[in-house]
Amino acid sequence: MSVTLLAGSATASVALATENPAAAPAATVVPTAPVENLIVGYKSSATEASSNTAAADDAAAKGKKAGKKAKFDRRLGTGAALVNLGGTVAPAAAADVIAQFRADPDVAYVEPDTRAYAMAVTPNDTEYAKQWDLFESTAGMNVPGAWDKTTGSGVTVAVIDTGYVAHSDVAPNIVSGYDFISTASEARDGNGRDGNPADEGDWNATDGECGTGSKASNSSWHGTHVAGTIAAATNNSKGVAGIAYGAKIQPVRVLGKCGGATSDIVDAITWASGGSVAGVPANATPAKVINMSLGGPGACGTSYQNAINAAVARGTTVVVAAGNSNANASGYSPASCNNVINVASTNRAGERSYYSNFGSIIDIAAPGGETRRATDTPGTVTTPENAILSTLNAGTTTPGAEIYKPYQGTSMAAPHIAGLAALLKSANTSLTPAQIESAIKTNARPLAGTCTGGCGAGLADAAATVAAVTSTPPTSGRENTTDYAIADNATVESPITVTGVTGNAPAALKVGVNIVHSYIGDLKVDLVAPDGSVYNLHNRSGGSTANINQVYTVNASSEVANGTWKLRVNDNAGGDTGKIDSWNLTF
């Protein structure tokens, strides 16, 4: 089976808190987020101001009075004491400990040990204003809002594609890749597989050269366009900004003249994710994300599925393009494979792009753009400003000068999600591929336009998704921290009684869940509303992954807010047990 590509034509500032009791009286500092540590300033006349032993005894005593295990951690450079609360606690619980310190006349001030962040600024890349797909409110993916928390550092993304043609706006983020094209004539580099993934061009000189119906075409430099969307260098006063510009790109070449063979692509998936391929050196920098903006007709074969399953088992998230045939994606591969994030394309109006495949197997939508309207003459470029601008090359056959050019396609949509997956993995290294997929889908927003046929969970939202995986579940005082044991093949419920809320629950009710369990694939987790309605949060996914610590969003707008809500956990297998550690509701 042969497959083809799927495309058409800061300066940071940190606010530093000062410990000045006169300028910031303790009574004005109230925790509004979960707290792990407190900073306690003692008056100079107090023994605790100079004695660590006395400070330790005082912290333990005050913590005991508040029902918490507070302990002295260390002395700050200002002389203040850092007090650890024994783990992250809810604002209300932290306030109880704070109250004990405030009541002591020897304490000058006490405040939560809050966090400061680098303040992201608009990138100075010269073409950034044209990247509507990153920031426009109608159909952009809300990427700048994620950059305060993560830029993808520490994550390698394998781009399994045509290879890479040198481009100065991507070069700083390139790591060693591999050329998996087995046939020298298709590779155009004079040999078969080798360690140089350079794109030698995928042009066709004549019609019919690649089979009946094929057309003569110039080189696409497709892999370089995809790479730029994911991780073009950013804030370098040139070109475009990459979604995960702190990540690294690993070019893995599988597409040459007349596309690429399944056998080569399967080996590329294996190698990129850290698996072994006979005759190929081990991958020194295995990828945690794979992007495959390629495909062909036909349902997913066993070869593809086995390679993808193995990659995911190694901890690699696999992102694929849905296809550009305006048809059901179930008839295309690898889009129809399991264990992938299958991405449809949307246009600048927030509608499904006219060419994008669709269907129930689509997981998510992302900007893929349109260089022309559906009614325009095929092959024309009438709306380049509405496509996806990225790095490219001007050569018609072999490489020429580096340029930037807009392309359209699910090939352009998929790297938006690969870039987001890199942001998530960087922000929270413990996330599994299943958790990354779940977070992207859970935090998507509705399309501004329509999607006939189905576009999955909606339009991916980078800022909302990153916030969900980096934030401790919010509380707003409606929390149950009592442990409820989860036994084998049993069901347990933890209640929260809500009062004082007018009307119904919101359409975006936040449900923070913290479950300790050694095998979450055993678990079914539901939110049960006061009237008995059940909203599924987690249904036996994640396999052998341990623990659930996630914020889910539930449309509970039909439910009266006041009453007793329950978190119901059903263990469906033997051999692994755990507990509901805590959970909360935010209205």
Side-chain angles (χ1 to χ4, degrees):
M1 174 179 171
S2 179
V3 299
T4 58
L5 50 87
L6 296 176
S9 303
T11 298
S13 62
V14 178
L16 300 177
T18 58
E19 295 170 10
N20 186 334
T28 65
V29 181
V30 178
T32 59
V35 180
E36 184 175 358
N37 300 308
L38 301 177
I39 298 173
V40 180
Y42 290 96
K43 294 179 180 178
S44 58
S45 58
T47 305
E48 292 85 356
S50 56
S51 169
N52 289 351
T53 300
D57 291 343
D58 189 51
K62 287 181 169 58
K64 185 176 182 180
K65 288 181 180 179
K68 293 293 177 183
K69 294 182 179 180
K71 67 175 184 177
F72 173 81
D73 187 278
R74 60 184 171 87
R75 189 76 63 173
L76 304 187
T78 59
L82 187 67
V83 175
N84 185 282
L85 299 182
T88 302
V89 301
D96 291 341
V97 183
I98 289 173
Q100 293 296 324
F101 280 103
R102 284 180 179 156
D104 187 340
D106 284 337
V107 173
Y109 66 95
V110 56
E111 59 191 25
D113 185 14
T114 57
R115 302 192 70 80
Y117 301 93
M119 306 303 291
V121 297
T122 300
N124 61 19
D125 302 71
T126 54
E127 303 297 309
Y128 177 71
K130 299 176 183 177
Q131 293 184 271
W132 62 268
D133 48 307
L134 302 191
F135 58 79
E136 281 191 355
S137 59
T138 298
M141 218 172 73
N142 199 10
V143 175
W147 286 336
D148 278 346
K149 292 184 170 66
T150 175
T151 62
S153 61
V155 178
T156 297
V157 181
V159 175
I160 297 180
D161 213 294
T162 63
Y164 164 70
V165 61
H167 197 295
S168 62
D169 210 9
V170 183
N173 287 333
I174 293 291
V175 297
S176 296
Y178 206 81
D179 179 0
F180 275 90
I181 301 178
S182 300
T183 306
S185 61
E186 295 174 4
R188 288 185 163 136
D189 59 1
N191 57 29
R193 293 181 174 182
D194 58 52
N196 181 7
D199 190 341
E200 304 291 346
D202 58 352
W203 80 93
N204 300 317
T206 61
D207 290 352
E209 191 173 354
C210 294
T212 303
S214 68
K215 297 294 183 181
S217 63
N218 293 332
S219 290
S220 67
W221 316 115
H222 187 268
T224 301
H225 197 281
V226 168
T229 297
I230 297 170
T234 301
N235 282 320
N236 61 345
S237 299
K238 68 179 298 181
V240 295
I243 291 170
Y245 61 83
K248 298 299 182 184
I249 293 291
Q250 182 169 72
V252 184
R253 188 173 183 233
V254 297
L255 302 179
K257 179 183 176 182
C258 302
T262 296
S263 55
D264 288 341
I265 297 169
V266 163
D267 278 352
I269 295 169
T270 302
W271 181 85
S273 60
S276 298
V277 176
V280 179
N283 187 350
T285 54
K288 287 302 179 186
V289 181
I290 285 174
N291 185 91
M292 289 197 291
S293 290
L294 49 77
C300 181
T302 303
S303 297
Y304 261 135
Q305 193 62 69
N306 286 347
I308 290 167
N309 289 348
V312 171
R314 295 183 195 104
T316 301
T317 299
V318 179
V319 180
V320 303
N324 299 334
S325 301
N326 188 27
N328 196 306
S330 62
Y332 295 81
S333 181
S336 59
C337 294
N338 296 321
N339 269 344
V340 300
I341 303 179
N342 185 357
V343 187
S345 171
T346 54
N347 62 22
R348 197 168 181 175
E351 302 168 331
R352 178 171 68 85
S353 300
Y354 68 86
Y355 53 79
S356 177
N357 285 354
F358 50 81
S360 61
I361 66 167
I362 299 294
D363 292 305
I364 195 72
E370 290 178 347
T371 58
R372 68 174 179 88
R373 303 182 235 354
T375 54
D376 292 338
T377 303
T380 60
V381 176
T382 55
T383 55
E385 71 278 7
N386 293 339
I388 308 302
L389 184 67
S390 189
T391 47
L392 212 70
N393 191 276
T396 55
T397 54
T398 57
E402 66 176 45
I403 59 172
Y404 301 87
K405 189 173 181 178
Y407 270 4
Q408 67 175 15
T410 55
S411 277
M412 285 58 258
H416 282 75
I417 300 303
L420 175 52
L423 293 178
L424 298 174
K425 187 65 176 179
S426 175
N428 186 339
T429 57
S430 67
L431 291 175
T432 65
Q435 289 171 328
I436 288 173
E437 178 179 350
S438 175
I440 291 172
K441 292 159 71 171
T442 300
N443 293 283
R445 67 182 193 268
L447 298 182
T450 59
C451 176
T452 54
C455 285
L459 180 66
D461 187 305
T465 310
V466 168
V469 304
T470 55
S471 302
T472 302
T475 58
S476 297
R478 298 179 178 89
E479 181 180 36
N480 189 334
T481 59
T482 302
D483 290 349
Y484 288 81
I486 304 171
D488 283 335
N489 294 297
T491 299
V492 63
E493 293 180 342
S494 173
I496 291 177
T497 300
V498 176
T499 59
V501 179
T502 303
N504 286 5
L509 174 65
K510 301 296 183 182
V511 186
V513 177
N514 186 359
I515 292 175
V516 177
H517 195 280
S518 54
Y519 198 102
I520 65 172
D522 289 353
L523 303 181
K524 183 173 182 288
V525 182
D526 296 312
L527 175 69
V528 183
D531 68 354
S533 299
V534 177
Y535 299 85
N536 182 249
L537 307 178
H538 172 92
N539 192 6
R540 303 192 70 181
S541 61
S544 60
T545 303
N547 306 334
I548 298 174
N549 189 359
Q550 187 169 331
V551 178
Y552 299 91
T553 302
V554 172
N555 183 354
S557 57
S558 63
E559 306 293 342
V560 175
N562 290 332
T564 299
W565 298 74
K566 298 176 184 178
L567 187 73
R568 177 184 295 163
V569 180
N570 171 239
D571 185 302
N572 292 274
D576 293 273
T577 58
K579 65 178 180 179
I580 302 174
D581 188 62
S582 64
W583 73 289
N584 58 73
L585 295 170
T586 301
F587 290 89

